[in-house]
Amino acid sequence: MALKATIFKAELQLSDLDRQHYGNYSLTLARHPSETDERLMVRLLAFALYASEYLSFCKGISDEDEPDLWEMDLSGNLERWIEVGLPDEKRLRKACGRARQVVVLSYGGRAADIWWQQNQSALAKQEKLTVLNLPASQSQALAALAERTMNLSCTIQEGQVWLSSSGDDLQLEPVRWQAAGE
């Protein structure tokens, strides 16, 4: 018998001062049996960083043709493709051909550093691609906040993220390894 996804519910109160975007989001995340709490929470962080009324979670791990999150415009055009982790360069090249903007939010400490060293020159050719890295200590602290039901408050200012949940406060600062258009 196949293992089923574990459902997580998150109430996210977001104040993104960098983009002047504010909102309350009721999110349902399905954690694939092979997914860790760390990856789940990095997906949630990716949502917070790029939140919009059209951004949604996708099948991600379960489907090679879908990212972890994507944003479609009203006419069905793919505006933003967001990958979490250490995706294959070929996959990112394909995504850049499909979406107006592609974002990678990598994590994993040394593994992420090695992935970046191996792929940096090829990825630099992708003008639509932004690559952010969340340091290992921060992604692990983020994983510690994972609960089946979460009430989160998130403030983003000058690239820094302050996240609060049940009295726990985190300060996260994703490092920009590559910005679209550079």
Side-chain angles (χ1 to χ4, degrees):
M1 188 161 119
L3 296 173
K4 294 183 178 180
T6 304
I7 303 300
F8 286 73
K9 300 273 188 178
E11 292 295 326
L12 177 65
Q13 180 182 7
L14 178 67
S15 298
D16 186 338
L17 303 173
D18 292 345
R19 296 186 302 136
Q20 299 300 304
H21 180 84
Y22 308 92
N24 293 313
Y25 296 92
S26 293
L27 305 171
T28 300
L29 295 92
R31 187 182 72 195
H32 189 273
S34 67
E35 187 175 32
T36 63
D37 283 346
E38 183 177 26
R39 186 176 194 289
L40 173 89
M41 294 303 287
V42 174
R43 282 197 297 133
L44 185 62
L45 174 63
F47 183 92
L49 290 170
Y50 293 94
S52 80
E53 64 181 301
Y54 303 112
L55 184 65
S56 62
F57 292 100
C58 301
K59 294 179 182 173
I61 288 178
S62 305
D63 190 331
E64 290 183 12
D65 292 329
E66 290 187 10
D68 292 295
L69 298 101
W70 65 16
E71 181 179 346
M72 300 281 195
D73 68 14
L74 291 174
S75 59
N77 295 318
L78 188 51
E79 289 293 312
R80 185 173 288 129
W81 175 292
I82 302 174
E83 293 280 348
V84 169
L86 310 173
D88 182 66
E89 181 268 334
K90 182 179 177 183
R91 179 177 173 84
L92 293 175
R93 197 170 355 111
K94 182 178 175 182
C96 286
R98 292 181 61 192
R100 194 175 62 76
Q101 181 187 23
V102 177
V103 177
V104 173
L105 181 52
S106 67
Y107 68 97
R110 182 75 180 127
D113 293 337
I114 292 168
W115 172 83
W116 182 241
Q117 289 170 359
Q118 292 173 344
N119 292 286
Q120 181 177 7
S121 62
L123 296 178
K125 298 173 187 172
Q126 303 303 322
E127 294 181 7
K128 298 177 182 179
L129 180 65
T130 296
V131 180
L132 304 173
N133 181 62
L134 190 61
S137 61
Q138 294 178 30
S139 65
Q140 291 164 2
L142 185 59
L145 296 181
E147 295 179 17
R148 296 283 299 273
T149 302
M150 297 177 273
N151 286 307
L152 303 166
S153 176
C154 181
T155 302
I156 301 171
Q157 184 176 16
E158 296 178 5
Q160 294 187 359
V161 180
W162 289 274
L163 195 63
S164 298
S165 172
S166 304
D168 292 324
D169 297 322
L170 285 181
Q171 182 178 347
L172 309 170
E173 191 165 359
V175 178
R176 187 173 305 275
W177 279 347
Q178 176 175 316
E182 286 185 352

